[in-house]
Every structure is written in structure tokens, then in C-alpha cells.
Amino acid sequence: MREAAFVKRNKDKWAVFENALSNKTDIAPDVLSDLYIEITDHLSYAKTFYAGSNTEFYLNGLASQAHRQIYKTQRESKNRIISFWKTEFPTLFYHHRRELLIAFLVFAFFTAVGAFSSANEGDFVRSILGDGYVNMTLENIENDDPMAVYKQMGEVNMFLGITINNITVAVYAFAFGILLGIGTLYIMLRNGIMLGSFQYFFFDKGLGWESVRTIWIHGTIEISVIIIAGCAGLVLANGMLFPGTYTRLESFKRGVVNGLKIMLSTVPFFIIAGFLEGFVTRHTEMPDWLAILIISGSLALIIFYYIIYPYQLNKKTIT
């Protein structure tokens, strides 16, 4: 890479780091430490390819200043957990907007494929959802209780079972990123088709609104965090495929760590989704306004924490 191109690609990142060192901006210690690692990698690269250049001298001075500041004051925060949720993770996640968008678009596309296939192929729903589930739901519809499936288990057992199952799906979505991202995209495909078929089935029976107001009470958070887990899998794959200025091994390690942090962020949301499905969704008699309030609140929470809040933190960091 030409030196000018190298500087152009990374100068904004260097400026953020330099501003943090001079206390012009406030950055979480762990984020600062990650930036320091990246700066030292860039310094090694510059020493190899641009020895004796101004770029090498600049990065060497920046790395030396950072070393003194970080290791002089580095302490384990008493509020480590709070700082992770409040600053460290949202700041990290901002830089993975592309992976999130890809995971969302793939999931949305195959949801549409599932609905379209169900509308045009009579046995498609049964092939996806299984005869047992379809027959049970048809029987529930005949008994004027189409959402009875959410009432068959006890609240606690359903909460635990659903939460564990959802986390398992998310772990697969992340871990299969090791297959160069293809495994993660397959999980998005599979769950998207299942959702599209499932939702179309109820619309075809004239129960579109009844299914939406019931299923999405828990499904809003559940589906959202499965997509976010898909994002984590693509972050892992990206670390393997596109090392940039890092060695491939170092890039892979960073992909694993960042993906795991994304996965960790989803755990409380999976618990919330499991709680809603186990204890709330079963109350199909609740008024529409309450169901809409829960769905809207869940969607707002996800959009704020994973999209709006990271953007706000990043904007604050660079100003």
C-alpha cells in the first residue's frame, strides 16, 4: 500500500486517539487500550514499509505517549460491568454497522422468500413447520383459540425453555461465522424462511392481526437479537477474511473478541424475550393498545441501544 493511501485510510482514527490522549475527548479505558493496540500495529507496518518516514515518526511518538498514559493509570474499574454496557460495547458496535445491515437484509429477504413460497406452494408451510405443529394450530383455530400453543406449558418452564433455545440459536449464528460467514448466513436464511412461512400461515387463515399482536410481543426482541447474533458471526468472519493492516491471526483474534462482546450484549435481551413469551404472550385476551405498547416499546429499546445510542456516543467522541 502506498504511504499516502495508508495515511488517508487511518488518519481519522489517529486523530481520535490523539485527542483522547490530550484529554480533548472522553473515551472508555478499554476502548483507548484497543486503539493503542491498533496504533502499535500501524507503527509496525510503517516501520516495515515506510522506514524513516514522517508517518513512522508520528506513530512512534503517538504510541510512546499512549504507553505512558495507559500503563501509568490503567486500573480495573469498579464499575466494569456498567462501563461495558454504557460505553465500551456501544462504542464498539458502532463500527460494525455494515455487518448488522447485511445480517438484517439477508434475514428480511428470506423472510419474504418464506412468505412467497408459502403462498405459491401448498405444502411448503408443512415442510418448514412440520405436520405436527400445523395440525395442532388448525385444531386450535377450530377451537377459537389460535394462539393456544403459548398456554400449554407453565410460565417458568416455558420461560426457561424458550430462553435457552433462543440463546442456542444465537450461539450457532455466531459460531458458524468460522465457516467464512456462510454458516451464519445459513442460520439467517433458515430462520427467515421459518418466520415468513409461520407468519403467512396465520394471514392465510384470516388471523393476521391476531398473530401479529400476539407473536410480536416477544418476537420483536427475539428476532432482533437473533439478527444481532448474525452480525456477531459476520464480525468473526470479517476478521478472518479481511485482515487489513493486521496479521491474519491478529485480525481473527479481534474478530472473535468483538463477536463475543456482541453476543454478550444480547443475553439480557434474550432473557427479556423469554420472559415475555413465558409470562405475557399467553394472555391473548389483553387489549390491543397494551399489545401495541409492548411491541412498540420493545422495538424502540432495540433501535435505541443498537443503532441510535452507538451513533450518539461516536458523534460525541469525534467532536
Side-chain angles (χ1 to χ4, degrees):
M1 183 188 302
R2 297 174 64 89
E3 183 178 359
F6 177 72
V7 172
K8 183 178 180 180
R9 173 184 291 185
N10 298 294
K11 64 180 182 179
D12 291 340
K13 192 175 299 182
W14 299 341
V16 170
F17 188 64
E18 189 171 13
N19 287 336
L21 292 179
S22 59
N23 295 319
K24 292 180 180 179
T25 56
D26 183 24
I27 297 182
D30 288 324
V31 177
L32 189 64
S33 181
D34 287 342
L35 280 172
Y36 169 68
I37 293 173
E38 193 164 4
I39 292 297
T40 56
D41 287 339
H42 290 171
L43 174 59
S44 297
Y45 188 86
K47 284 182 176 180
T48 301
F49 296 101
Y50 320 121
S53 67
N54 290 333
T55 301
E56 180 193 351
F57 293 144
Y58 169 75
L59 290 174
N60 187 62
L62 200 59
S64 298
Q65 181 185 354
H67 185 275
R68 291 192 299 270
Q69 183 167 329
I70 291 174
Y71 289 97
K72 178 179 68 177
T73 60
Q74 191 177 51
R75 295 185 297 269
E76 188 67 23
S77 171
K78 295 179 181 179
N79 299 314
R80 181 68 178 82
I81 295 177
I82 294 176
S83 67
F84 174 81
W85 299 103
K86 185 178 179 181
T87 56
E88 180 182 345
F89 169 74
T91 302
L92 162 74
F93 196 69
Y94 176 81
H95 300 288
H96 296 298
R97 305 184 306 281
R98 181 181 61 180
E99 290 90 342
L100 177 63
L101 178 61
I102 292 172
F104 170 76
L105 291 177
V106 170
F107 190 95
F109 174 76
F110 283 105
T111 298
V113 169
F116 180 81
S117 299
S118 298
N120 290 275
E121 176 59 50
D123 293 331
F124 188 79
V125 172
R126 288 184 176 273
S127 68
I128 297 299
L129 301 180
D131 288 332
Y133 182 85
V134 171
N135 292 336
M136 176 192 65
T137 303
L138 290 174
E139 183 178 342
N140 291 336
I141 292 173
E142 292 178 1
N143 295 331
D144 295 323
D145 193 4
M147 300 297 148
V149 65
Y150 295 108
K151 308 172 186 178
Q152 292 179 347
M153 294 178 62
E155 288 95 336
V156 174
N157 289 337
M158 190 168 189
F159 161 64
L160 293 175
I162 290 297
T163 301
I164 293 172
N165 178 73
N166 289 339
I167 291 176
T168 301
V169 172
V171 169
Y172 281 133
F174 167 61
F176 283 1
I178 198 73
L179 302 176
L180 305 181
I182 297 174
T184 295
L185 295 178
Y186 171 75
I187 297 295
M188 296 297 99
L189 175 156
R190 185 168 178 266
N191 283 272
I193 289 179
M194 188 178 300
L195 174 63
S197 303
F198 180 80
Q199 196 65 82
Y200 176 82
F201 175 70
F202 286 101
F203 272 88
D204 187 50
K205 301 302 178 183
L207 295 165
W209 171 243
E210 177 67 19
S211 67
V212 168
R213 71 179 295 278
T214 302
I215 296 166
W216 289 95
I217 285 176
H218 62 272
T220 301
I221 292 180
E222 179 182 297
I223 296 300
S224 297
V225 287
I226 286 176
I227 293 172
I228 291 165
C231 168
L234 294 180
V235 168
L236 169 60
N238 188 59
M240 299 173 60
L241 295 171
F242 307 106
T245 58
Y246 301 105
T247 64
R248 193 169 296 276
L249 178 60
E250 179 62 27
S251 179
F252 172 68
K253 290 178 180 178
R254 291 173 67 87
V256 171
V257 170
N258 290 343
L260 285 173
K261 288 181 179 180
I262 295 172
M263 287 297 297
L264 179 61
S265 79
T266 66
V267 173
F269 292 97
F270 275 124
I271 293 173
I272 293 172
F275 174 84
L276 289 173
E277 186 164 0
F279 291 90
V280 181
T281 300
R282 66 180 57 241
H283 295 288
T284 55
E285 75 284 356
M286 75 170 64
D288 285 351
W289 67 265
L290 181 55
I292 293 172
L293 180 64
I294 295 172
I295 294 170
S296 301
S298 298
L299 182 61
L301 175 62
I302 291 292
I303 291 176
F304 174 77
Y305 188 69
Y306 283 99
I307 299 176
I308 297 175
Y309 185 53
Y311 172 79
Q312 291 176 337
L313 281 183
N314 182 75
K315 186 177 180 181
K316 180 180 178 182
T317 298
I318 63 177
T319 56

